[in-house]
Amino acid sequence: MSPGSAGPLPDGFRVAVVGAGVSGLTCASTLKARGAHVVVYEAARRPGGRAATEITPAGSFDHGAQYFTAQSADFDRLVSRWCDDGLVQPWTAQVIAVEGEAALDKTASARRYIVRDGMQALGRRLAADVDVRFDVTVAAVTKRGNSWHLLDAQGASLSHGGYDAVVLALPQPAE
């Protein structure tokens, strides 16, 4: 659903978003723009999820996602605004896929983008306008009546009265 395609949410509508990666933070911002009270819960110490930059004595480097693509019209419009704002830029490196003995040039298969100040800058930018609670592991989500409730790893409630909706924006578990 595009951010402009739906009307406002009911007054006092509360949403918990689990995961402060690009998807969770974009979802939280969209819901907030529609009038929801949104709280994002993130197990890590920083936003961005797999869009991360590692800073070492030898220098900094992006790990997880080195670049990203925009595969929907809505996200493409958002990325265009980020380009205009100077947050991201097109990535022009050559992309090669190795399949057996063959090396295939995949450069033209998609437009790829990088974040100018490292991938973690994207997470910081997206988290700037939403309520994010870091170092919180959501261990359980339950429904009681019409409210959703979250519990942390110690079994303590994170819900403070419950939520009208919960969004799980988490990576697929490792196999």
Side-chain angles (χ1 to χ4, degrees), residues 131-150:
D131 181 359
V132 183
R133 316 277 170 93
F134 295 106
D135 290 316
V136 178
T137 299
V138 175
V141 178
T142 62
K143 189 167 187 182
R144 283 184 261 151
N146 291 327
S147 294
W148 291 96
H149 298 269
L150 284 66

Side-chain angles (χ1 to χ4, degrees), residues 45-46 51-65 117-120:
R45 295 184 317 255
R46 57 157 186 79
T53 304
E54 186 71 28
I55 299 169
T56 72
S60 63
F61 61 92
D62 291 328
H63 68 98
D117 294 326
M119 290 299 275
Q120 73 182 24

Side-chain angles (χ1 to χ4, degrees), residues 79-91:
V79 171
S80 291
R81 288 197 303 270
W82 292 343
C83 285
D84 292 344
D85 291 346
L87 178 64
V88 305
Q89 67 187 33
W91 190 55

Side-chain angles (χ1 to χ4, degrees), residues 18-82:
V18 182
V22 173
S23 295
L25 292 169
T26 301
C27 177
S29 294
T30 301
L31 288 165
K32 183 179 175 187
R34 292 186 56 208
H37 172 76
V38 182
V39 178
V40 179
Y41 295 94
E42 172 56 48
R45 295 184 317 255
R46 57 157 186 79
R50 292 182 177 173
T53 304
E54 186 71 28
I55 299 169
T56 72
S60 63
F61 61 92
D62 291 328
H63 68 98
Q66 289 82 27
Y67 65 86
F68 64 91
T69 62
Q71 308 228 350
S72 74
D74 288 335
F75 191 56
D76 192 49
R77 282 190 291 277
L78 181 59
V79 171
S80 291
R81 288 197 303 270
W82 292 343

Side-chain angles (χ1 to χ4, degrees), residues 9-15 31 34-38 163-166:
L9 292 166
D11 287 342
F13 196 79
R14 294 175 38 98
V15 181
L31 288 165
R34 292 186 56 208
H37 172 76
V38 182
Y163 291 97
D164 298 299
V166 176

